Amino acid sequence: MRLVVVGTGMAGSRVVSDVRARDKRVRVTVFGAETWQPYNRVLLSNVLAGTATPEIVRLHDKAWYAEHGVTAVLGAEVTAIDRDCRTVITADGRREPYDVLVLATGSRPFVPPIPGVELAIPFRTLDDCEKIVEAAGRARRAVVVGGGLLGIEAARGLAGRGLPVTLLHVAGHLMERQLDAEAGLVLGETLTALGVEIRTGAEVTAITEAGVEVTGGLVEGDLVVLACGVRPVVDLARDAGLHVERGIVVDDEMRTDDPSIFAVGECAQHDGQVYGLVAPCWEQAAIVADLITGADTAARYRGSRLVTRLKARSVELAAMGETHLTEADAEIVSFSHRRTGTYRKLVIRNDRLVGAILVGESAAVGTLTQLYDRGGPLPGDRASLLFPGLSSAPVADSPVRMPDAAKVCRCNNVTKGQIRACWEEGARDLAAVAAATRATTGCGGCADAVEGIVSWLCEQEGVSV
């Protein structure tokens, strides 16, 4: 079988590695428009902040491709699909035949149509990251446009380099899609304490050499970073005559309306939803790999339950599910302490957790994530969920009480039971567990939990590390 994957981002790379893990015989060719070896885009904020290098965030390298018999063509944009001949065509005229084609074209940054926007740098790729870091070295002040997840990570990273930063956001509070107004306010105050000036309700009208013009004046800055959201890259699919709406429309098998073509990741639209987080992309990749190789012909994608984690130094945030419901629609349990940068909110319906927001450090994150994932009944004492340390009940994210089915790494769907199994097979530290299960290789937010489980297992068995 000849498999061609278009895209070397996180979804495309995962398809390649999952297919190869299931079947050594499939002939795999992957095309990437970027010249970089595939990298973990989730960790680019760490590169921007100077806490990671491009080498650290790499997913695959030349040696991996050679070892696994995969042909990787980098710096080669696929510009056309000949569906009649089952061939993809690159910008330089290369033609590659396929039996099965996977489109993992990802998304591109949205660049608002405002005067002077070419003076700004989008924050999306490793090339963008390098440009921003280079410009930051000679800049006096930075302005970040966009108060979503990526914009906050960019602003925090630049502030961590000692650069004065102003974050502009058009909505009334930060991360308005995931957070309610109180949570957005607490998050903004936390960032302000870390050196990021926050201006919400700021409509950008132009970008100049002096800074960013907004309604009401000029925000000075000689480095302007754009983080205004993304749009799925669907041109290739649309030009090939595939069904495209906001994304490339797929069914539960992640197939397009051409049965020989799949789509995964940020370019795919499943059941009306386009996912922008890594965990759904990797879930989709696993389904496609199962179907292509025949490892599980019954595999189907049923959608994902999203948990958003903010990855910025000294900023702890998790949001999941239906966070904007009111008392009229659900039971709301909340606590806010702005002085300490703490906000916690539960959204409960039919005695099930359907949404939650946690701003500030909280031991409840693991417990609430598990309850949200599994949809199990909640204890009558709701306060014990927000403040697990005040309750005599066992904490679910303690390794002793955590069931083997509990999901520890959401990005890679790794459970405590899988961590225990690979430990029993000889994995005795975090690096060995990550190599065996991929836990911690997504956003990295589960590293402490995984390390805690490994340490606990070693203590239980008297194993020294």
Side-chain angles (χ1 to χ4, degrees), residues 97 113 132 420 447:
I132 295 169
R420 181 200 292 273

Side-chain angles (χ1 to χ4, degrees), residues 9-10 34 39-45 57 124-126 266:
M10 300 187 71
E34 292 186 66
Y39 56 87
N40 187 331
R41 200 182 304 277
V42 175
L43 301 181
L44 283 184
S45 56
V57 302
R124 177 64 182 167
T125 68
L126 195 47
E266 292 179 320

Side-chain angles (χ1 to χ4, degrees), residues 153-415:
E153 292 178 357
R156 178 64 186 103
L158 290 170
R161 289 179 173 270
L163 198 62
V165 181
T166 301
L167 177 62
L168 304 177
H169 192 47
V170 68
H173 65 270
L174 300 176
M175 292 182 64
E176 74 281 359
R177 292 185 180 181
Q178 296 88 6
L179 306 182
D180 60 18
E182 178 71 9
L185 182 64
V186 173
L187 174 60
E189 292 175 345
T190 300
L191 290 168
T192 298
L194 295 170
V196 179
E197 180 189 355
I198 306 296
R199 293 187 57 173
T200 55
E203 184 176 350
V204 175
T205 57
I207 298 173
T208 69
E209 296 284 356
V212 179
E213 294 181 1
V214 298
T215 305
L218 174 71
V219 179
E220 294 185 357
D222 47 357
L223 167 60
V224 180
V225 176
L226 293 180
C228 304
V230 296
R231 299 292 184 269
V233 177
V234 297
D235 314 70
L236 184 65
R238 180 182 287 116
D239 292 345
L242 298 175
H243 183 194
V244 171
E245 293 177 0
R246 192 157 61 96
I248 305 169
V249 178
V250 296
D251 59 16
D252 288 353
E253 293 186 339
M254 302 308 297
R255 292 184 197 267
T256 67
D257 49 340
D258 182 329
S260 65
I261 302 178
F262 296 81
V264 296
E266 292 179 320
C267 68
Q269 177 180 318
H270 174 268
D271 196 23
Q273 179 76 35
V274 176
Y275 294 95
L277 299 176
V278 65
C281 296
W282 284 354
E283 291 172 15
Q284 295 170 3
I287 298 294
V288 169
D290 282 338
L291 294 171
I292 288 175
T293 62
D296 182 2
T297 57
R300 298 293 184 272
Y301 180 67
R302 306 299 187 189
S304 297
R305 296 173 68 81
L306 300 182
V307 176
T308 301
R309 299 292 296 267
L310 180 61
K311 299 162 293 301
R313 190 164 40 130
S314 304
V315 183
E316 297 287 336
L317 183 149
M320 60 198 80
E322 302 175 70
T323 58
H324 292 293
L325 296 182
T326 66
E327 291 280 5
D329 307 305
E331 176 187 349
I332 307 296
V333 183
S334 63
F335 170 82
S336 180
H337 191 193
R338 289 170 56 183
R339 184 174 179 181
T340 60
T342 301
Y343 179 74
R344 301 172 188 176
K345 175 182 179 180
L346 307 180
V347 183
I348 301 167
R349 189 166 52 205
N350 299 326
D351 202 34
R352 300 294 190 271
L353 185 68
V354 297
I357 301 173
L358 298 165
V359 181
E361 187 174 351
S362 173
V365 174
T367 302
L368 295 178
T369 302
Q370 292 168 35
L371 289 170
Y372 172 67
D373 271 337
R374 297 200 298 266
L378 303 181
D381 181 10
R382 309 302 202 207
S384 67
L385 295 174
L386 291 182
F387 306 99
L390 301 179
S391 171
S392 59
V395 180
D397 53 359
S398 163
V400 180
R401 300 294 185 182
M402 188 185 297
D404 276 356
K407 194 179 296 183
V408 179
C409 175
R410 289 189 53 82
C411 293
N412 290 285
N413 291 315
V414 180
T415 64

Side-chain angles (χ1 to χ4, degrees), residues 6-36:
V6 179
T8 53
M10 300 187 71
S13 295
R14 180 53 65 92
V15 169
V16 171
S17 57
D18 279 4
V19 166
R20 186 51 82 230
R22 290 159 173 74
D23 193 326
K24 310 296 183 187
R25 300 164 299 172
V26 177
R27 175 183 164 186
V28 182
T29 302
V30 56
F31 290 90
E34 292 186 66
T35 56
W36 291 95

